[in-house]
Amino acid sequence: MLPRQERRAHAHSERHRIHVELQNVAQTVSSGIEPEDVHEPGSAWKPAHHHDAEVAKSKLAKRGRTKRHWKTKMWKRRTQLRMEKIEALQMTRENPGLAGY
């Protein structure tokens, strides 16, 4: 299995290749050649879809059970840090003499 970045790059190049093929067909038809005479790329040039129906069903079933972002430790920690920062700012506003400490 290729790393995610390489898979995305491969998929991008495939989409680009398909787009170029279709553009060439459209250009030859618009230049005056009859559509029946143009070689239209068939289904063989399309990239294969590697989707597994069972995997998709299991992912859909799991999606409802995933944690919400505000229930994760990271979210709670960041929220706590924000609250502490707000409290520190309020303390410095109330006691300007303590700002240097």
Side-chain angles (χ1 to χ4, degrees):
M1 192 74 177
L2 294 173
R4 183 172 187 263
Q5 190 173 10
E6 288 184 27
R7 285 192 316 241
R8 287 177 54 88
H10 180 69
H12 179 268
S13 64
E14 284 295 307
R15 286 192 305 271
H16 177 70
R17 186 178 62 81
I18 291 168
H19 185 75
V20 168
E21 288 287 331
L22 291 174
Q23 228 175 1
N24 289 341
V25 169
Q27 190 175 23
T28 53
V29 169
S30 66
S31 67
I33 298 176
E34 292 296 318
E36 294 83 26
D37 298 335
V38 176
H39 171 70
E40 183 178 355
S43 61
W45 58 270
K46 291 182 181 176
H49 294 286
H50 300 287
H51 297 294
D52 187 2
E54 294 302 317
V55 172
K57 287 177 189 175
S58 67
K59 283 187 177 181
L60 279 174
K62 286 181 188 175
R63 187 168 36 174
R65 292 182 291 169
T66 57
K67 283 187 177 178
R68 303 290 184 217
H69 66 277
W70 61 86
K71 292 186 178 181
T72 61
K73 288 183 180 180
M74 178 271 310
W75 183 267
K76 291 179 180 179
R77 185 176 62 243
R78 288 173 64 194
T79 303
Q80 185 63 31
L81 286 173
R82 278 192 227 101
M83 296 302 289
E84 289 172 1
K85 187 187 282 187
I86 291 169
E87 287 176 13
L89 282 172
Q90 289 175 348
M91 289 287 289
T92 56
R93 287 183 185 147
E94 292 172 4
N95 302 323
L98 298 177
Y101 293 102

